């Protein structure tokens, strides 16, 4: 059991950040929530890039190059879009 938790620790960290983003969205802070969601995706790309194959757990879906490039591209796009939206007097 402890080995399974250790193996999926990167996924658990990413899921905790995603839950934080969801809480912000539900609290009507959708720009901050979407930014944090993008950060979680980029964090997943970083984990996939730097954590060894035997410790990455369920974050490994395809090849390392595909996973990192897809996660970084999508996460970067979410971060860029959420940061570039004009708040129009709201947050």
């Amino acid at each position: 059991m402890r080995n399974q938790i250790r193996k999926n620790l990167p996924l658990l960290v990413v899921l905790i950040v995603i839950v934080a983003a969801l809480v912000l969205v539900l609290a009507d802070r959708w720009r901050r929530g979407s930014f944090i969601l993008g950060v979680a995706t980029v964090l997943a790309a970083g984990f996939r890039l730097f954590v060894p194959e035997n410790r990455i757990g369920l974050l490994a879906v395809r090849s390392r190059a595909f996973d990192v490039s897809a996660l970084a591209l999508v996460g970067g796009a979410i971060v860029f879009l959420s940061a570039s939206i004009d708040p129009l007097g709201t947050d």
Side-chain angles (χ1 to χ4, degrees), residues 4-6 8-18 59:
Q4 288 290 68
I5 293 173
R6 180 176 286 168
N8 288 308
L9 190 60
L11 178 65
L12 292 174
V13 171
V14 171
L15 286 176
I16 289 170
V17 177
I18 290 172
L59 282 178

Side-chain angles (χ1 to χ4, degrees), residues 70-84:
L71 288 167
L73 183 67
V74 170
I78 293 171
V79 167
F80 173 75
L81 289 172
S82 66
S84 67

Side-chain angles (χ1 to χ4, degrees), residues 9-72:
L9 190 60
L11 178 65
L12 292 174
V13 171
V14 171
L15 286 176
I16 289 170
V17 177
I18 290 172
V19 168
L22 181 62
V23 168
L24 286 171
V25 169
L26 291 175
D28 212 17
R29 302 287 187 205
W30 63 271
R31 288 182 66 236
R32 289 180 188 168
S34 61
F35 183 83
I36 299 298
L37 181 66
V39 168
T41 309
V42 172
L43 179 66
F47 279 141
R48 183 67 176 106
L49 181 62
F50 294 113
V51 176
E53 290 284 332
N54 61 347
R55 293 204 166 196
I56 198 64
L58 293 174
L59 282 178
V61 177
R62 302 222 182 255
S63 69
R64 182 178 296 222
F66 180 82
D67 287 344
V68 171
S69 60
L71 288 167

